[in-house]
Structures are given as C-alpha cells and as structure tokens.
Amino acid sequence: MATANKLSVIPCGAMHADLTFLLLKPGVSIKTRSEKEDKISWVEVPTHCVLVETDEGKLLWDTSCPSDWETRWKPTGLQEFFPYDQVADDEYLDAQLNKMNVGLDEIDYVVLSHLHFDHAGNAQMFKNTNAKLICSDKEKEFALNFEGDFNGAHLKSDYEGLNWETVSGDVEILPGVKLIQAPGHTVGTMSMQVDLPDSGTMIFTSDAVYMGESYGPPAAPAAIVNNLEQWFQSVEKLRGIQEKTDATMIFGHDAQQIKELRKAPEGSYT
C-alpha cells in the first residue's frame, strides 16, 4: 500500500461562535424548559490546515481564515457570528508556513475541503504560484454560480478568479492521500484520508464532522447543514472507513482535540 511520507497539522488560531452553529444536541445546545433562562454558550472554534508530503509532491489541505477577516467578512455579517479573534500574528497561515520553512512555490496542490470563508480564506495566496487548486466538482459548480457576492458562508472574493481543477467521487490524488466525497455540510464537502507508515491512517473530516461530540454515535448534526440526509450518510460513510482502516479521526473544529495533536512547526506525523 502506498503511503505519504510526513504530515503536519498547522494550527491557525480560533474563531468564537454560538455552540448551536456546531452542535444540535439535546441537553447541550438544545435546552429543556428548566434551562430556558440560561445564557447561550459561546465556544472556541479552532481552525487548522494540513501539509502532506509525498514522493510525488506536497499537498496543502485547506487555507483557514484571512488576516483581514474583519473587513472582508463585513458585507456578510459573518464577523459578528464567527469572530476570528483568537489568533496571534504568527498563527495566520502564511506566517505558519514561514516558520515551517515552506515556500508557497514548494506546494504542488492546494485542496479545499469546501469553499466556506474559514477554509478558503487564504486561497488567493496561491493565485500566482504553480500549485494546482482543487475542490470537488459540485462545490465549484455551486460556489461560483450563485447570485451576488456571498451566499451563507460562501464568499466569492475568497476564491473567484482562481483556476480551479475539480475531482468527482473518491480519488487517490497522491501516494497515500485519498479525497473522500462527504457532502451534506455543503454540496461538495470532502474529507481527506492519509495513510502513513508509522502513524497509520488519519482521516481529516473537515466540516463533514465538526467535533468528536458530533461524531457520536449517534451522530449529532449542526445548524449549518445544507442537506441533512446527505450529512448523516457522509458521517456513516466515514465511520465505515474508520472501522475498516482503524483510522485516527481529526475533526474540523474540535477545541479539545486540537490541543492534543502534534502541531507544526514542532511536531508532525510520519
């Protein structure tokens, strides 16, 4: 079985948001009448990218949020619901890559799990590089063709004007790196499976599964779901792959899990 050589989880700080956006779960974000006077629960929403190194090139998974988030998101109102307010200057993606001594010209593929504002926020960094920019065909079709400048969490200025290549279905894109179609959160959300010689299989769910508490079982959905039936199917699809491969699941925005991972630039997985 082909494997990748090295994987680095790149932490990029955190947003904050009402827990309901991430988790619709009785007793947690959905309260009983005895708790109806309780305050809403605002939580940390970490954001990360992943750099995978293989014999056939380097792949960057997602691009996190932009440093000009406050002004870029203002027309959408997203900055009020998801303030990216827990990030140091050296935690933005470009600064993290600098600390890792990885130049933009060294990255061969930039794969977007989907094109929401907190995943495609730095895609324009790669406009004049040789990197192939890749998303799913269904995601591109939706994200570039709706009316207006934004639709929900899709913000055209993040990704329009770029040369997007697309994939359809589950596909091995590099040795040990497979893109998995996992729609539901958006029409074209993907997860990524990486097989490593020492660390085994790791699955990066992106927003197909926000947190361990979302994964269950039973799975608990979120307020931001495009198609609930597809979302449940995708979670169970990923669970089936995990059971078959004994994979470590890395969730899209799990504030507890991110603390426990080996993180770049100091740590990595092989």
Side-chain angles (χ1 to χ4, degrees):
M1 181 181 74
T3 58
N5 299 329
K6 181 181 176 183
L7 183 150
S8 302
V9 177
I10 307 171
C12 295
M15 301 171 285
H16 284 93
D18 184 337
L19 178 60
T20 310
F21 280 116
L22 301 176
L23 190 70
L24 293 176
K25 191 171 184 180
V28 183
S29 58
I30 302 172
K31 302 297 180 70
T32 63
R33 62 180 176 177
S34 67
E35 302 166 295
K36 65 184 179 183
E37 304 301 330
D38 288 2
K39 290 182 177 179
I40 64 168
S41 180
W42 267 62
V43 296
E44 190 178 307
V45 186
T47 169
H48 67 266
C49 308
V50 182
L51 184 70
V52 186
E53 300 176 42
T54 77
D55 287 342
E56 294 181 17
K58 289 187 173 88
L59 178 151
L60 180 69
W61 170 253
D62 282 344
T63 66
S64 188
C65 305
S67 58
D68 64 345
W69 63 275
E70 187 101 49
T71 52
R72 196 187 303 184
W73 299 350
K74 193 169 185 178
T76 70
L78 289 165
Q79 82 286 357
E80 295 297 327
F81 291 95
F82 301 95
Y84 185 34
D85 54 5
Q86 190 174 317
V87 55
D89 287 345
D90 66 350
E91 289 181 307
Y92 294 113
L93 176 60
D94 55 349
Q96 289 285 41
L97 290 173
N98 283 338
K99 285 194 288 184
M100 296 167 68
N101 295 312
V102 176
L104 298 186
D105 57 341
E106 295 178 54
I107 296 172
D108 303 290
Y109 300 86
V110 178
V111 180
L112 277 293
S113 62
H114 60 302
L115 295 173
H116 273 176
F117 68 105
D118 56 326
H119 295 261
N122 290 300
Q124 298 285 355
M125 278 171 40
F126 297 92
K127 184 168 189 174
N128 296 312
T129 71
N130 293 320
K132 290 184 178 180
L133 288 129
I134 296 170
C135 65
S136 85
D137 54 351
K138 291 183 174 65
E139 189 75 3
K140 179 183 177 182
E141 174 67 23
F142 171 79
L144 289 170
N145 292 297
F146 58 76
E147 291 292 319
D149 296 328
F150 66 92
N151 183 312
H154 284 95
L155 183 56
K156 281 182 181 171
S157 60
D158 285 341
Y159 50 76
E160 65 183 353
L162 297 173
N163 183 24
W164 290 100
E165 299 185 19
T166 61
V167 295
S168 176
D170 299 347
V171 58
E172 184 162 4
I173 189 168
L174 285 169
V177 184
K178 181 183 284 186
L179 304 180
I180 301 166
Q181 299 301 320
H185 173 70
T186 70
V187 295
T189 297
M190 297 191 294
S191 299
M192 176 176 70
Q193 175 181 332
V194 182
D195 298 313
L196 292 158
D198 297 328
S199 299
T201 299
M202 301 179 77
I203 294 176
F204 292 84
T205 66
S206 184
D207 291 359
V209 188
Y210 275 137
M211 303 183 293
E213 201 158 7
S214 315
Y215 193 50
I224 308 176
V225 172
N226 175 69
N227 183 305
L228 193 57
E229 184 177 0
Q230 283 187 337
W231 183 84
F232 277 110
Q233 289 171 346
S234 292
V235 174
E236 296 315 314
K237 175 182 178 179
L238 293 172
R239 202 187 308 282
I241 296 170
Q242 180 194 23
E243 290 170 357
K244 186 177 177 183
T245 61
D246 195 27
T248 300
M249 305 297 288
I250 310 297
F251 304 113
H253 296 287
D254 192 311
Q256 185 56 44
Q257 185 182 50
I258 195 74
K259 294 178 174 71
E260 299 162 359
L261 298 175
R262 298 177 212 158
K263 294 180 284 293
E266 295 85 8
S268 61
Y269 294 86
T270 55

